[in-house]
Amino acid sequence: MISLQRKVKNKKAKLVGRGSKRGKTSGRGTKGQKARAGHRIRPAIRDMIKKYPKLRGRGKNSNKAFRPTPAIVNVGSLAAAFAPQSMVTPSQLLAKGLIRRKKGILPAVKIVGGGTIDHPLALYDCTATDAAKEKIVAAGGVLN
């Protein structure tokens, strides 16, 4: 029986200390940011966020978009729209067209002192300025 042998022994690939069975660049291509350990490309959205101007000072950014503003109604408008001894609520103001829905929601209502009122009205679920309160109470109305 004959046994065959090579003249030159098989030479194994040199192992480099960057993971086994890969050698040299370890499957990372060549040079640059992506070849380095811990490489990470910054997301594009972050760059867009960084470009927005900052609003300086305390409270400038705090929930400004989520703070609902009340619908404003003048005392004179109430006097013209409602009969004496009427009950005034935000839903009735909406029905009369004095206020509108904001994003599909019935807003809070604030009564301001513009105009005059000469007959009593009962206001419910509405806030009012001091001037408006004086005029409504002087006409014999009620604020609840």
Side-chain angles (χ1 to χ4, degrees):
M1 184 166 181
I2 303 170
S3 61
L4 299 172
Q5 281 189 331
R6 288 172 169 255
K7 273 187 180 180
V8 181
K9 285 193 171 185
N10 244 3
K11 197 172 187 182
K12 286 191 174 182
K14 183 181 175 188
L15 290 177
V16 186
R18 288 187 288 273
S20 64
K21 294 187 182 176
R22 290 291 175 268
K24 200 174 172 245
T25 52
S26 307
R28 285 182 180 267
T30 178
K31 296 185 190 174
Q33 181 186 7
K34 292 181 182 175
R36 306 287 184 248
H39 74 89
R40 189 175 66 88
I41 296 172
R42 196 151 78 164
I45 188 76
R46 181 182 163 141
D47 290 329
M48 288 172 9
I49 291 167
K50 296 284 273 181
K51 285 177 187 172
Y52 281 125
K54 303 286 185 290
L55 295 175
R56 309 278 176 198
R58 180 180 179 274
K60 296 290 192 289
N61 285 326
S62 60
N63 297 328
K64 193 169 192 176
F66 305 109
R67 202 175 304 138
T69 53
I72 306 295
V73 181
N74 280 315
V75 170
S77 304
L78 291 177
F82 291 94
Q85 303 295 332
S86 295
M87 192 174 87
V88 180
T89 61
S91 56
Q92 288 179 333
L93 289 169
L94 180 71
K96 296 265 186 182
L98 294 174
I99 62 171
R100 288 188 297 180
R101 290 183 185 274
K102 291 185 179 178
K103 296 183 180 176
I105 299 169
L106 189 65
V109 176
K110 187 165 192 173
I111 311 297
V112 294
T116 58
I117 186 167
D118 55 355
H119 55 270
L121 295 173
L123 288 114
Y124 294 95
D125 298 329
C126 300
T127 57
T129 60
D130 291 336
K133 282 179 189 174
E134 287 175 16
K135 289 181 181 183
I136 292 165
V137 171
V142 184
L143 262 167
N144 292 333

